[in-house]
mmCIF file of all heavy atoms in Angstrom:
data_model
loop_
_atom_site.group_PDB
_atom_site.id
_atom_site.type_symbol
_atom_site.label_atom_id
_atom_site.label_comp_id
_atom_site.label_asym_id
_atom_site.label_seq_id
_atom_site.Cartn_x
_atom_site.Cartn_y
_atom_site.Cartn_z
ATOM 1 N N ILE B 157 -72.131 -8.343 62.599
ATOM 2 C CA ILE B 157 -73.144 -9.405 62.653
ATOM 3 C C ILE B 157 -73.130 -10.250 61.379
ATOM 4 O O ILE B 157 -73.407 -11.452 61.405
ATOM 5 C CB ILE B 157 -74.548 -8.790 62.912
ATOM 6 C CG1 ILE B 157 -74.594 -8.123 64.295
ATOM 7 C CG2 ILE B 157 -75.661 -9.844 62.795
ATOM 8 C CD1 ILE B 157 -74.554 -9.045 65.479
ATOM 9 N N SER B 158 -72.754 -9.642 60.257
ATOM 10 C CA SER B 158 -72.654 -10.414 59.004
ATOM 11 C C SER B 158 -71.694 -11.583 59.126
ATOM 12 O O SER B 158 -71.815 -12.569 58.382
ATOM 13 C CB SER B 158 -72.116 -9.554 57.849
ATOM 14 O OG SER B 158 -72.742 -8.327 57.782
ATOM 15 N N ALA B 159 -70.714 -11.464 60.014
ATOM 16 C CA ALA B 159 -69.733 -12.544 60.153
ATOM 17 C C ALA B 159 -70.419 -13.848 60.554
ATOM 18 O O ALA B 159 -69.938 -14.933 60.209
ATOM 19 C CB ALA B 159 -68.677 -12.164 61.186
ATOM 20 N N ILE B 160 -71.519 -13.759 61.267
ATOM 21 C CA ILE B 160 -72.183 -14.981 61.745
ATOM 22 C C ILE B 160 -72.684 -15.829 60.570
ATOM 23 O O ILE B 160 -72.257 -16.968 60.406
ATOM 24 C CB ILE B 160 -73.293 -14.633 62.771
ATOM 25 C CG1 ILE B 160 -72.672 -13.944 64.009
ATOM 26 C CG2 ILE B 160 -74.084 -15.879 63.165
ATOM 27 C CD1 ILE B 160 -73.682 -13.335 64.974
ATOM 28 N N PRO B 161 -73.562 -15.277 59.704
ATOM 29 C CA PRO B 161 -73.974 -16.128 58.570
ATOM 30 C C PRO B 161 -72.839 -16.419 57.586
ATOM 31 O O PRO B 161 -72.837 -17.484 56.955
ATOM 32 C CB PRO B 161 -75.104 -15.316 57.905
ATOM 33 C CG PRO B 161 -74.974 -13.923 58.423
ATOM 34 C CD PRO B 161 -74.348 -14.028 59.779
ATOM 35 N N LEU B 162 -71.878 -15.492 57.466
ATOM 36 C CA LEU B 162 -70.763 -15.754 56.545
ATOM 37 C C LEU B 162 -69.953 -16.964 56.998
ATOM 38 O O LEU B 162 -69.604 -17.835 56.187
ATOM 39 C CB LEU B 162 -69.832 -14.538 56.497
ATOM 40 C CG LEU B 162 -69.913 -13.675 55.259
ATOM 41 C CD1 LEU B 162 -68.971 -12.491 55.394
ATOM 42 C CD2 LEU B 162 -69.583 -14.457 54.000
ATOM 43 N N ILE B 163 -69.610 -17.016 58.295
ATOM 44 C CA ILE B 163 -68.850 -18.161 58.814
ATOM 45 C C ILE B 163 -69.634 -19.452 58.581
ATOM 46 O O ILE B 163 -69.068 -20.477 58.216
ATOM 47 C CB ILE B 163 -68.547 -17.954 60.318
ATOM 48 C CG1 ILE B 163 -67.529 -16.828 60.513
ATOM 49 C CG2 ILE B 163 -68.109 -19.253 60.989
ATOM 50 C CD1 ILE B 163 -66.118 -17.173 60.085
ATOM 51 N N LYS B 164 -70.928 -19.384 58.751
ATOM 52 C CA LYS B 164 -71.750 -20.591 58.537
ATOM 53 C C LYS B 164 -71.660 -21.075 57.082
ATOM 54 O O LYS B 164 -71.748 -22.262 56.809
ATOM 55 C CB LYS B 164 -73.207 -20.347 58.939
ATOM 56 C CG LYS B 164 -73.366 -20.066 60.426
ATOM 57 C CD LYS B 164 -74.626 -20.680 60.987
ATOM 58 C CE LYS B 164 -74.501 -21.036 62.449
ATOM 59 N NZ LYS B 164 -73.615 -22.155 62.743
ATOM 60 N N ARG B 165 -71.494 -20.150 56.151
ATOM 61 C CA ARG B 165 -71.361 -20.564 54.745
ATOM 62 C C ARG B 165 -69.962 -21.089 54.438
ATOM 63 O O ARG B 165 -69.783 -21.924 53.566
ATOM 64 C CB ARG B 165 -71.570 -19.373 53.796
ATOM 65 C CG ARG B 165 -72.886 -18.738 53.941
ATOM 66 C CD ARG B 165 -73.435 -18.198 52.629
ATOM 67 N NE ARG B 165 -74.868 -18.259 52.771
ATOM 68 C CZ ARG B 165 -75.672 -18.954 51.996
ATOM 69 N NH1 ARG B 165 -75.189 -19.646 50.985
ATOM 70 N NH2 ARG B 165 -76.964 -18.967 52.216
ATOM 71 N N LEU B 166 -68.967 -20.515 55.095
ATOM 72 C CA LEU B 166 -67.582 -20.794 54.702
ATOM 73 C C LEU B 166 -66.962 -21.949 55.458
ATOM 74 O O LEU B 166 -65.921 -22.457 55.075
ATOM 75 C CB LEU B 166 -66.710 -19.549 54.952
ATOM 76 C CG LEU B 166 -67.056 -18.311 54.139
ATOM 77 C CD1 LEU B 166 -66.280 -17.110 54.686
ATOM 78 C CD2 LEU B 166 -66.702 -18.522 52.672
ATOM 79 N N SER B 167 -67.548 -22.341 56.571
ATOM 80 C CA SER B 167 -66.858 -23.258 57.469
ATOM 81 C C SER B 167 -67.868 -24.140 58.183
ATOM 82 O O SER B 167 -69.048 -23.804 58.294
ATOM 83 C CB SER B 167 -66.088 -22.404 58.497
ATOM 84 O OG SER B 167 -65.703 -23.189 59.610
ATOM 85 N N HIS B 168 -67.371 -25.262 58.683
ATOM 86 C CA HIS B 168 -68.226 -26.140 59.468
ATOM 87 C C HIS B 168 -68.125 -25.801 60.955
ATOM 88 O O HIS B 168 -68.786 -26.418 61.781
ATOM 89 C CB HIS B 168 -67.793 -27.596 59.264
ATOM 90 C CG HIS B 168 -66.427 -27.828 59.846
ATOM 91 N ND1 HIS B 168 -65.287 -27.340 59.263
ATOM 92 C CD2 HIS B 168 -66.027 -28.438 60.989
ATOM 93 C CE1 HIS B 168 -64.242 -27.661 60.003
ATOM 94 N NE2 HIS B 168 -64.659 -28.319 61.051
ATOM 95 N N LEU B 169 -67.298 -24.837 61.305
ATOM 96 C CA LEU B 169 -67.074 -24.538 62.725
ATOM 97 C C LEU B 169 -68.247 -23.774 63.329
ATOM 98 O O LEU B 169 -68.850 -22.925 62.661
ATOM 99 C CB LEU B 169 -65.795 -23.710 62.893
ATOM 100 C CG LEU B 169 -64.498 -24.389 62.441
ATOM 101 C CD1 LEU B 169 -63.338 -23.398 62.517
ATOM 102 C CD2 LEU B 169 -64.195 -25.625 63.294
ATOM 103 N N PRO B 170 -68.557 -24.038 64.584
ATOM 104 C CA PRO B 170 -69.595 -23.238 65.249
ATOM 105 C C PRO B 170 -69.108 -21.810 65.501
ATOM 106 O O PRO B 170 -67.916 -21.576 65.640
ATOM 107 C CB PRO B 170 -69.834 -23.967 66.580
ATOM 108 C CG PRO B 170 -68.674 -24.873 66.773
ATOM 109 C CD PRO B 170 -68.032 -25.113 65.443
ATOM 110 N N ILE B 171 -70.041 -20.885 65.543
ATOM 111 C CA ILE B 171 -69.696 -19.489 65.832
ATOM 112 C C ILE B 171 -70.599 -18.952 66.928
ATOM 113 O O ILE B 171 -71.808 -19.164 66.910
ATOM 114 C CB ILE B 171 -69.776 -18.607 64.567
ATOM 115 C CG1 ILE B 171 -69.504 -17.147 64.977
ATOM 116 C CG2 ILE B 171 -71.109 -18.731 63.833
ATOM 117 C CD1 ILE B 171 -69.044 -16.273 63.880
ATOM 118 N N ILE B 172 -69.970 -18.279 67.890
ATOM 119 C CA ILE B 172 -70.724 -17.647 68.960
ATOM 120 C C ILE B 172 -70.444 -16.148 68.924
ATOM 121 O O ILE B 172 -69.623 -15.669 68.143
ATOM 122 C CB ILE B 172 -70.386 -18.248 70.342
ATOM 123 C CG1 ILE B 172 -68.923 -17.981 70.712
ATOM 124 C CG2 ILE B 172 -70.684 -19.747 70.355
ATOM 125 C CD1 ILE B 172 -68.580 -18.395 72.144
ATOM 126 N N SER B 173 -71.103 -15.410 69.783
ATOM 127 C CA SER B 173 -71.103 -13.956 69.696
ATOM 128 C C SER B 173 -70.897 -13.377 71.094
ATOM 129 O O SER B 173 -71.466 -13.875 72.065
ATOM 130 C CB SER B 173 -72.471 -13.572 69.118
ATOM 131 O OG SER B 173 -72.659 -12.207 69.101
ATOM 132 N N ASP B 174 -70.060 -12.341 71.180
ATOM 133 C CA ASP B 174 -69.790 -11.694 72.469
ATOM 134 C C ASP B 174 -70.217 -10.231 72.397
ATOM 135 O O ASP B 174 -69.418 -9.347 72.098
ATOM 136 C CB ASP B 174 -68.288 -11.796 72.787
ATOM 137 C CG ASP B 174 -67.918 -11.140 74.113
ATOM 138 O OD1 ASP B 174 -68.740 -10.365 74.651
ATOM 139 O OD2 ASP B 174 -66.818 -11.386 74.611
ATOM 140 N N PRO B 175 -71.489 -9.958 72.663
ATOM 141 C CA PRO B 175 -71.981 -8.583 72.540
ATOM 142 C C PRO B 175 -71.483 -7.668 73.658
ATOM 143 O O PRO B 175 -71.605 -6.448 73.530
ATOM 144 C CB PRO B 175 -73.501 -8.739 72.602
ATOM 145 C CG PRO B 175 -73.737 -10.034 73.290
ATOM 146 C CD PRO B 175 -72.547 -10.901 73.031
ATOM 147 N N SER B 176 -70.907 -8.222 74.703
ATOM 148 C CA SER B 176 -70.400 -7.363 75.779
ATOM 149 C C SER B 176 -69.131 -6.662 75.317
ATOM 150 O O SER B 176 -69.021 -5.426 75.373
ATOM 151 C CB SER B 176 -70.132 -8.206 77.034
ATOM 152 O OG SER B 176 -71.287 -8.958 77.382
ATOM 153 N N GLN B 177 -68.141 -7.439 74.857
ATOM 154 C CA GLN B 177 -66.934 -6.834 74.290
ATOM 155 C C GLN B 177 -67.280 -6.104 72.998
ATOM 156 O O GLN B 177 -66.682 -5.088 72.658
ATOM 157 C CB GLN B 177 -65.885 -7.914 73.958
ATOM 158 C CG GLN B 177 -65.357 -8.688 75.141
ATOM 159 C CD GLN B 177 -64.428 -7.877 76.024
ATOM 160 O OE1 GLN B 177 -63.939 -6.843 75.616
ATOM 161 N NE2 GLN B 177 -64.235 -8.335 77.243
ATOM 162 N N GLY B 178 -68.230 -6.649 72.283
ATOM 163 C CA GLY B 178 -68.531 -6.138 70.946
ATOM 164 C C GLY B 178 -69.092 -4.728 70.946
ATOM 165 O O GLY B 178 -68.919 -3.992 69.974
ATOM 166 N N THR B 179 -69.760 -4.362 72.035
ATOM 167 C CA THR B 179 -70.327 -3.009 72.075
ATOM 168 C C THR B 179 -69.676 -2.157 73.160
ATOM 169 O O THR B 179 -69.582 -0.946 73.018
ATOM 170 C CB THR B 179 -71.839 -3.056 72.381
ATOM 171 O OG1 THR B 179 -72.019 -3.619 73.699
ATOM 172 C CG2 THR B 179 -72.588 -3.910 71.381
#
Side-chain angles (χ1 to χ4, degrees):
Chain B
I157 296 290
S158 314
I160 298 170
L162 255 178
I163 290 288
K164 296 217 151 290
R165 301 214 152 240
L166 296 170
S167 164
H168 67 287
L169 298 174
I171 176 158
I172 64 173
S173 174
D174 180 345
S176 307
Q177 297 288 344
T179 63

